[in-house]
Amino acid sequence: MTQGPARRTAELRQQIEDANYRYYVLDDPSIPDSEYDRLLRELQALEAEHPELASTDSPTQRVGNAPSAKFAEVRHAVPMLSLANAFSPEEIHEFVARIGKETGDFEPAFSAEPKLDGLAISLRYEHGQFVRGATRGDGATGEDVTANLRTVRAIPLKLRGKAPSVLEVRGEVYMPKAAFERYNEWARKHGEKTLANPRNGAAGSLRQLDPRVTAQRPLAFFAYSLGEVEGVKLPPTHSQTLALLREFGLPVSPQVTTARGAGGLLEYFEHIGQQRDDLPYDIDGVVYKLDRYDQQRAMGFVSRAPRWAIAHKYPAQEEATTVESIEVNVGRTGAVTPWVLMNPVHVGGVTVTRATLHNADQVARLDVRKGDVVIIRRAGDVIPEVVRVIEERRPRDKEGNPQHPPFVMPSQCPACGSAVEREEGEVVARCTGGLFCPAQRIQALFHFASRRAMDIEGLGERFITALVELDHVHTVADLYRLTLDDFLEMKRRADERDGITPETVKAGKVATRWAENLIAAIDASRNTTLERLLYALGIRDVGESTAKTLAKHFGALAPIMEADVETLRHVPDVGPVVAARIAHFFAEPHNREVIAALGANGVHWKEGAPQRASEGPLSGQTVVLTGGLEAMSRDEAGARLEALGAKVSGSVSKKTSFVVAGEAAGSKLAKAQELGIEIWDEARLLAFLAGNGQ
């Protein structure tokens, strides 16, 4: 055998491992996914052609081998201990005071980190090679899941630099939120079983008997402590040890930091709590560990938990409750969404009484019925959803049969009686009543008045509902015919519905200022732009970005209204489905009547010459803005980027060229990092704009 294949194999392995290190450890991707896949395919081909080059630490071994009949037991050389929990600031003050009393240090330094909601594992490396991985188990003995862990790209198969003779790394395997959602979306489309939540997804994936199944699951890993260690002198503190692990090529949470005293710990708890919903992974608390190892040794252990560490838990985000009924909601686009009305339950810091079931397929998959006890999940401001049914607690009759039948989606719209239909290939059923459906009318009006559409300040859903109930408004054009008396009557109707009686208003002092402000806001919205109008009309799948593209491409409304599907398909980023929906909307006589009525009621919009794609330095590139910018608003930044030829999008995908991330950037930044997309900070954006005359 010549040296050529051997050298190329070694080179490819190093390139792929370097890419993994930059992606998972440094959070600084060096190559796009397509290039990574190309390198991996080339390596697979070389190893297949030259079997003598096979190696257990090759990146190709992550695809998974044949199924195992069962998992062998692994006895941990150093026990994997659990942590005591704290739920209040008082408990944290007591924890720190106890340490101060026994060490004499009343403001000790702690290493603080998020408590990941995944599965604890131990990785054993010998002379830098990954040789075994095990679950926590009972703390003394775990399950050997080495084959499955080899499929997790974030776990290095070989340590970087000069590795010790033995290094046992403790950490958490988890499933990132974005990856969890993508996996479940794929599972729903292919009729596969969805994962209940990211934690169960991680645990279930590692306990698959077939590693090839695990290899298909989007798992990640963070290291947070050590077990058995030989052949290396460790630093004197835990935080320095974590830095050493990063040098060895092991990923560590970027949210790890140090804090002093109870005040510092509680400040960190609050800080992470504010970021919790935007973190790319689920957490259920934070962990505090005395940073100095000599102080850890002085504190020692109690039972099976260290006295020098504690987990500070956040309120639970999953709870059990009982379904009172299953209802459906009709949205702005006619989507008929099932949801459950349930006994009030406190979850994720708030009390909820409703949870979404998404669509008919999800209802059937979960088999949710009236009277069922269900698990509800809530994450941040996301609408609560039903995760699963506890079937053993389902109400049954004397014969053991369920008391209530399966839920069936209605065939007629509950709001207008129109037929409910489901297009082929879609999971969502829709009411066919259009703008004539009161439910759609309310949502269409709310969308039309929203800030990023016509921006009618003060006209919220409560008032819109009252206007529709009074029969004052049938279409969006009717908003521009409303009078002061209409609004005062609307206010009385809304107050009656909300239980506000006339006695609560001082006699003779019924204010009209709010109504005058509403009329002024409606009047101000008569002068708008073509892109805002297009977005406000609520054409299905036409968001702000597409509306802006249409306005630039055609310059005026009339050619858009007359365009056929083929003409619309030539508009950048407008595919055949969206083109068909735009053409269908403007072909509907009722929609044309509404647009004519808007013009007749004084609504006008700026039009101009068509603008084809700019030839600027960002021509052909797609940019996403996320987080807060200090020097300008995101809208201004977007306009300046568009002036240089960029398309500014509201969502991150593989087509995104780069993401500009400001303060408190959340899920979009996390997705960009996961996809390996280039990230710009505000300083780089400002420098680029200045260098290009913007």
Side-chain angles (χ1 to χ4, degrees):
M1 183 188 70
T2 66
Q3 290 298 309
R7 280 201 305 269
R8 182 57 181 162
T9 297
E11 182 183 43
L12 286 169
R13 288 173 182 167
Q14 188 62 52
Q15 286 179 316
I16 293 171
E17 289 302 335
D18 285 345
N20 284 337
Y21 176 66
R22 292 184 66 89
Y23 187 95
Y24 293 106
V25 180
L26 300 184
D27 196 16
D28 182 24
S30 56
I31 58 175
D33 289 350
S34 57
E35 176 67 8
Y36 183 97
D37 293 339
R38 187 192 66 76
L39 295 174
L40 189 61
R41 286 194 298 271
E42 183 182 350
L43 180 59
Q44 288 171 332
L46 270 173
E47 290 180 350
E49 187 177 350
H50 302 281
E52 67 276 14
L53 297 178
S55 172
T56 58
D57 62 5
S58 172
T60 60
Q61 299 305 302
R62 296 189 187 277
V63 298
N65 298 313
S68 168
K70 64 177 182 178
F71 297 116
E73 286 190 350
V74 174
R75 187 158 189 85
H76 301 301
V78 175
M80 294 185 70
L81 303 174
S82 56
L83 294 174
N85 292 327
F87 297 91
S88 69
E90 292 75 20
E91 291 175 284
I92 299 303
H93 280 287
E94 292 172 5
F95 167 68
V96 176
R98 186 166 57 248
I99 291 173
K101 184 178 180 181
E102 298 195 26
T103 66
D105 185 352
F106 291 91
E107 286 287 317
F110 291 88
S111 176
E113 63 195 59
K115 185 177 183 298
L116 278 80
D117 203 7
L119 185 71
I121 58 144
S122 178
L123 308 174
R124 185 177 179 87
Y125 290 87
E126 295 180 358
H127 303 288
Q129 302 290 321
F130 175 52
V131 296
R132 190 175 66 215
T135 62
R136 180 200 299 273
D138 62 5
T141 304
E143 298 171 310
D144 188 334
V145 288
T146 306
N148 289 343
L149 289 170
R150 284 184 176 278
T151 71
V152 181
R153 287 184 179 181
I155 296 175
L157 301 178
K158 182 171 62 175
L159 297 180
R160 302 174 71 87
K162 186 178 179 181
S165 54
V166 174
L167 185 73
E168 276 194 354
V169 180
R170 302 307 171 51
E172 199 92 357
V173 167
Y174 67 95
M175 188 174 288
K177 293 177 184 176
F180 167 77
E181 296 297 343
R182 284 202 307 276
Y183 180 85
N184 272 357
E185 183 179 351
W186 173 87
R188 282 191 285 266
K189 285 182 179 179
H190 292 81
E192 300 287 337
K193 183 179 179 182
T194 57
L195 302 174
N197 54 49
R199 184 189 187 284
N200 289 353
S205 298
L206 278 190
R207 290 197 172 97
Q208 293 289 327
L209 293 177
D210 188 347
R212 291 170 295 191
V213 176
T214 309
Q216 297 172 356
R217 303 286 177 85
L219 300 177
F221 169 76
F222 278 145
Y224 54 61
S225 68
L226 293 175
E228 184 180 13
V229 178
E230 293 180 6
V232 66
K233 183 179 180 181
L234 293 177
T237 67
H238 179 73
S239 56
Q240 290 172 320
T241 298
L242 292 180
L244 179 64
L245 292 181
R246 283 175 60 90
E247 292 178 13
F248 284 145
L250 291 149
V252 175
S253 170
Q255 279 71 39
V256 170
T257 188
T258 55
R260 281 198 172 273
L265 298 185
L266 294 176
E267 185 178 339
Y268 179 78
F269 181 79
E270 181 70 21
H271 174 69
I272 294 297
Q274 291 173 353
Q275 295 185 359
R276 184 182 183 188
D277 299 333
D278 293 324
L279 291 175
Y281 45 80
D282 277 345
I283 64 172
D284 57 4
V286 296
V287 174
Y288 312 131
K289 302 171 185 173
L290 265 177
D291 199 32
R292 284 170 45 184
Y293 287 137
D294 61 334
Q295 291 183 334
Q296 289 186 12
R297 289 189 290 270
M299 290 300 298
F301 301 84
V302 57
S303 184
R304 297 170 65 179
R307 298 179 68 238
W308 42 264
I310 198 167
H312 193 175
K313 305 292 284 290
Y314 291 111
Q317 291 189 293
E318 285 192 357
E319 291 291 346
T321 187
T322 303
V323 175
E324 294 182 356
S325 63
I326 302 177
E327 313 289 343
V328 294
N329 177 67
V330 183
R332 177 176 65 83
T333 62
V336 180
T337 304
W339 55 275
V340 296
L341 180 66
M342 57 201 180
N343 288 339
V345 61
H346 196 71
V347 54
V350 299
T351 299
V352 297
T353 58
R354 295 169 50 143
T356 183
L357 288 164
H358 297 295
N359 53 59
D361 288 351
Q362 184 74 346
V363 178
R365 189 176 296 111
L366 294 171
D367 189 21
V368 182
R369 308 187 188 193
K370 180 180 177 181
D372 278 349
V373 176
V374 295
I375 301 297
I376 302 297
R377 178 174 63 216
R378 178 182 180 273
D381 294 327
V382 177
I383 298 171
E385 64 177 342
V386 177
V387 176
R388 62 185 175 90
V389 174
I390 304 178
E391 289 194 30
E392 55 268 28
R393 297 176 65 179
R394 170 170 285 166
R396 298 181 181 275
D397 58 25
K398 294 179 180 179
E399 285 74 34
N401 299 313
Q403 286 185 4
H404 301 285
F407 172 77
V408 178
M409 286 286 286
S411 58
Q412 291 183 307
C413 173
C416 70
S418 300
V420 173
E421 297 178 354
R422 179 173 169 179
E423 292 181 17
E424 185 177 351
E426 286 210 350
V427 297
V428 177
R430 299 181 188 275
C431 165
T432 58
L435 291 176
F436 296 102
C437 173
Q440 294 182 65
R441 189 182 308 157
I442 291 170
Q443 292 301 315
L445 287 163
F446 182 60
H447 171 76
F448 184 85
S450 63
R451 184 176 66 86
R452 304 192 75 86
M454 299 299 281
D455 192 20
I456 304 177
E457 187 176 355
L459 189 59
E461 193 165 2
R462 174 174 178 260
F463 286 165
I464 287 172
T465 301
L467 286 168
V468 171
E469 289 175 349
L470 284 167
D471 209 30
H472 285 340
V473 176
H474 296 92
T475 74
V476 294
D478 293 335
L479 291 172
Y480 297 93
R481 297 186 297 99
L482 295 171
T483 66
L484 185 65
D485 288 340
D486 292 332
F487 280 117
L488 292 175
E489 186 181 3
M490 170 205 74
K491 180 68 161 54
R492 286 192 294 271
R493 175 67 65 90
D495 285 348
E496 290 171 3
R497 188 183 62 243
D498 295 343
I500 302 174
T501 63
E503 289 74 20
T504 62
V505 182
K506 292 181 180 180
K509 293 188 177 181
V510 179
T512 60
R513 179 61 59 85
W514 65 269
E516 293 168 350
N517 289 341
L518 261 179
I519 290 176
I522 291 174
D523 190 55
S525 74
R526 295 178 199 271
N527 184 21
T528 189
T529 63
L530 178 57
E531 63 193 54
R532 276 184 175 270
L533 176 70
L534 288 168
Y535 175 60
L537 289 175
I539 306 168
R540 190 173 164 202
D541 288 340
V542 174
E544 290 180 79
S545 178
T546 302
K548 188 177 292 185
T549 301
L550 288 168
K552 283 188 173 182
H553 187 86
F554 289 98
L557 182 60
I560 302 175
M561 294 177 66
E562 301 306 322
D564 58 17
V565 173
E566 192 58 35
T567 301
L568 289 164
R569 286 187 62 180
H570 285 88
V571 179
D573 298 317
V574 173
V577 174
V578 177
R581 284 172 178 160
I582 296 170
H584 176 77
F585 179 89
F586 288 114
E588 170 60 52
H590 173 74
N591 293 329
R592 287 176 170 264
E593 292 170 7
V594 171
I595 293 169
L598 284 170
N601 288 336
V603 179
H604 51 275
W605 47 91
K606 298 175 183 177
E607 296 188 339
Q611 300 177 32
R612 298 302 185 239
S614 169
E615 295 301 324
L618 295 179
S619 178
Q621 296 194 44
T622 300
V623 182
V624 173
L625 295 154
T626 182
L629 302 177
E630 292 184 4
M632 68 190 81
S633 68
R634 288 219 309 248
D635 286 345
E636 182 185 352
R640 292 167 72 173
L641 288 166
E642 286 174 344
L644 296 173
K647 176 193 173 186
V648 177
S649 175
S651 58
V652 176
S653 70
K654 288 185 177 180
K655 295 182 180 179
T656 303
S657 304
F658 63 89
V659 170
V660 178
E663 286 295 319
S667 58
K668 292 178 185 176
L669 173 60
K671 185 172 182 180
Q673 291 169 334
E674 188 177 332
L675 293 175
I677 292 168
E678 185 178 358
I679 310 295
W680 288 19
D681 59 16
E682 185 172 1
R684 182 173 178 184
L685 171 66
L686 292 174
F688 178 82
L689 292 175
N692 287 276
Q694 284 291 318

